[in-house]
Amino acid sequence: MCDKHSSPGPAGLAIPGRQGSRRRRLWELPRNCHCPLVGVGLPLALLRRLAEKAAGGALLHDDYEVHVGAVNDCGHRNRLAEAIQKELDRRYAAVVFRFRGARSAAEVAALWGAAVEAGDVAGAFWAGLSHPACVPALEEKMCRDIHMVQHQAGACARADIGKYKAALADKARLEAELARAQARCNALMQEKEREADRHARELMGARAAAIGKDTEIARLHGDLARLRAEIPELDSRKRLANRLARMELREQALRTRIAALKAARQDAAPQAAEVPAPSTAPLAVHATQAAPPAAAAAATAAPVIPIHLVNRSVLCVGGRSGNLPFYRRMIEGVGAQFAHHDGGLEDGSRQLEASLAAADLVICQTGCISHGAYWRVKEHCKRTGKRCVFVDNPSMSSLARGLHGIGADAGPDAAPEESAAGSAACKT
């Protein structure tokens, strides 16, 4: 409240009492009510606009001087007092309407107390002071209450200012932290972009290398096709070269064996000359009786295999398990290595492929293997040019005849032949 308006008014000025139901005007209120009413009811910016409008021009005074001038003008009716009256009525029309229902000073006081409790005192202060039932005692009480409210508002404002300054400090700190976080994020984004660029370059290089490799592979395939077209008999040349090498080895082995037989014959000739002739008939009869066992022994002796199998692998596909020892003795007796596959009874197809790839000679027992194993053996030998003997009967004599048959062939690399009996056995 301003110092200039703390007194109740000039001496001898009578305070108007109740005037029926008409509300009191601003200039009809006691002067000590003008200062809190103008200060609480109107914002300073609005009060300055009203004063400038009433004065007809801009005011160079500060807010305090504008407030003091407006409070002085409210003591009597003039353009500024009427403008303030009109603005207060417009601004607090709802509160004035609510106070209009009060019929006594006690009801006005009750409404004022409720407004103070609610913290909405600006409109209630104007509506109570201008109410027809407002008495001097109630005016005094309302002025004291509004004075304390202003003190509390000031304290709250100071507290709010402190909180505001603390909030500003927190805001500055948070902005600094945000700036640092944004700087870190920008650095990480730049690093990720560099890494992405590096990965893109590596990917492009890998794709270029893959394209180059594909191009080189295509070129090599073309060169290979061209070479094969230029030398169509290349595979036959290889087979002939292998056949020639095996024939040379066979010839060398036969020459060695012939030389050994000649030497044995020369050693046996003097011993046969020294043996006396038989003189008695019983000896002749005994010799005649002894001849059949000798012939039988000669028949059971291992047959001579006319092919060179020293240090070579011979695979027997199929056959009876009881004949395997005889097969093994026959093959290993000439210096070869014997291997066996049952033709699909217990051994698998993968094992058959591996055995065929490791063998130099294949013996196929056509009557004791499955159709799949038979065709697998035939296809492998035809594809690789490997020698194959097809035997229809699983016996030693049949095996010996088959080996003699391929021994009579022109060379070891001839295409595999299939006997008629073997073909018939497979078809059945």
Side-chain angles (χ1 to χ4, degrees):
M1 192 180 302
C2 299
D3 297 337
K4 296 182 180 181
H5 311 289
S6 58
S7 59
L13 183 61
I15 298 177
R18 181 177 179 86
Q19 302 177 4
S21 60
R22 187 182 68 84
R23 295 177 56 245
R24 294 188 295 179
R25 303 293 186 264
L26 176 62
W27 48 88
E28 295 176 354
L29 298 178
R31 287 186 175 273
N32 60 335
C33 298
H34 292 157
C35 179
L37 181 59
V38 174
V40 174
L42 298 176
L44 288 175
L46 178 58
L47 180 62
R48 179 177 288 275
R49 287 199 301 271
L50 293 176
E52 290 178 348
K53 185 177 180 181
L59 299 178
L60 302 178
H61 304 80
D62 57 9
D63 293 339
Y64 177 77
E65 293 176 347
V66 172
H67 171 76
V68 171
V71 169
N72 289 330
D73 288 344
C74 289
H76 52 88
R77 187 173 184 174
N78 51 46
R79 292 183 59 185
L80 180 58
E82 290 178 352
I84 294 174
Q85 168 82 27
K86 183 178 180 180
E87 179 64 26
L88 290 173
D89 287 340
R90 184 194 64 81
R91 193 177 188 87
Y92 303 110
V95 183
V96 171
F97 180 79
R98 188 172 68 250
F99 270 69
R100 186 177 298 175
R103 297 303 180 208
S104 63
E107 294 178 1
V108 175
L111 292 175
W112 168 251
V116 172
E117 291 293 333
D120 186 13
V121 297
F125 190 63
W126 166 243
L129 290 178
S130 62
H131 196 275
C134 184
V135 295
L138 181 57
E139 292 175 359
E140 183 67 21
K141 182 179 185 305
M142 292 175 65
C143 290
R144 291 199 303 266
D145 292 340
I146 200 68
H147 183 80
M148 298 306 300
V149 167
Q150 289 177 335
H151 282 298
Q152 293 174 1
C156 293
R158 288 191 296 272
D160 292 340
I161 291 174
K163 293 179 181 179
Y164 176 72
K165 292 181 179 179
L168 288 178
D170 292 340
K171 177 177 176 294
R173 178 178 56 81
L174 293 175
E175 287 179 350
E177 293 180 358
L178 179 60
R180 290 193 296 269
Q182 289 178 346
R184 290 194 299 268
C185 290
N186 293 333
L188 288 176
M189 289 179 61
Q190 293 176 0
E191 182 179 358
K192 293 299 181 182
E193 288 178 356
R194 290 192 296 269
E195 187 174 356
D197 294 340
R198 179 173 58 83
H199 289 167
R201 290 192 298 271
E202 292 178 356
L203 179 60
M204 187 177 298
R207 288 178 177 175
I211 294 173
K213 290 182 180 179
D214 293 340
T215 305
E216 183 67 16
I217 291 172
R219 185 185 64 80
L220 292 177
H221 280 300
D223 294 344
L224 180 60
R226 180 176 52 80
L227 291 175
R228 285 179 176 175
E230 292 176 357
I231 312 176
E233 68 279 3
L234 181 61
D235 294 337
S236 61
R237 287 185 181 182
K238 289 183 179 179
R239 287 196 299 269
L240 291 175
N242 293 332
R243 181 177 179 181
L244 178 61
R246 292 183 181 179
M247 290 181 66
E248 290 177 354
L249 292 175
R250 179 184 176 186
E251 181 184 1
Q252 183 179 359
L254 290 176
R255 289 180 182 278
T256 303
R257 187 172 182 181
I258 290 172
L261 290 175
K262 286 182 179 181
R265 183 177 180 182
Q266 292 176 1
D267 294 339
Q271 295 179 2
E274 296 176 358
V275 174
S279 58
T280 60
L283 292 177
V285 175
H286 179 71
T288 303
Q289 296 176 352
T300 58
V304 178
I305 301 175
I307 59 176
H308 182 66
L309 297 176
V310 178
N311 294 329
R312 294 189 177 275
S313 176
V314 178
L315 173 63
C316 180
V317 182
R320 297 172 182 172
S321 59
N323 294 339
L324 292 179
F326 301 102
Y327 296 161
R328 185 179 298 276
R329 284 200 299 270
M330 180 184 296
I331 299 301
E332 293 181 353
V334 296
Q337 299 177 359
F338 179 78
H340 177 257
H341 190 279
D342 61 4
L345 298 179
E346 295 182 359
D347 299 334
S349 59
R350 292 186 179 180
Q351 185 177 355
L352 177 59
E353 289 289 341
S355 301
L356 289 172
D360 298 312
L361 175 65
V362 181
I363 301 173
C364 182
Q365 301 281 354
T366 59
C368 304
I369 62 174
S370 63
H371 289 272
Y374 170 78
W375 289 110
R376 193 180 297 273
V377 171
K378 185 174 181 180
E379 189 275 335
H380 178 84
C381 294
K382 185 176 182 180
R383 175 168 46 85
T384 60
K386 191 170 293 184
R387 178 172 257 174
C388 182
V389 180
F390 292 93
V391 180
D392 56 349
N393 189 9
S395 63
M396 292 185 62
S397 59
S398 298
L399 177 62
R401 285 195 301 271
L403 294 176
H404 273 282
I406 64 172
D409 191 10
D413 284 326
E417 297 179 356
E418 180 183 352
S419 65
S423 177
C426 285
K427 291 178 181 179
T428 58

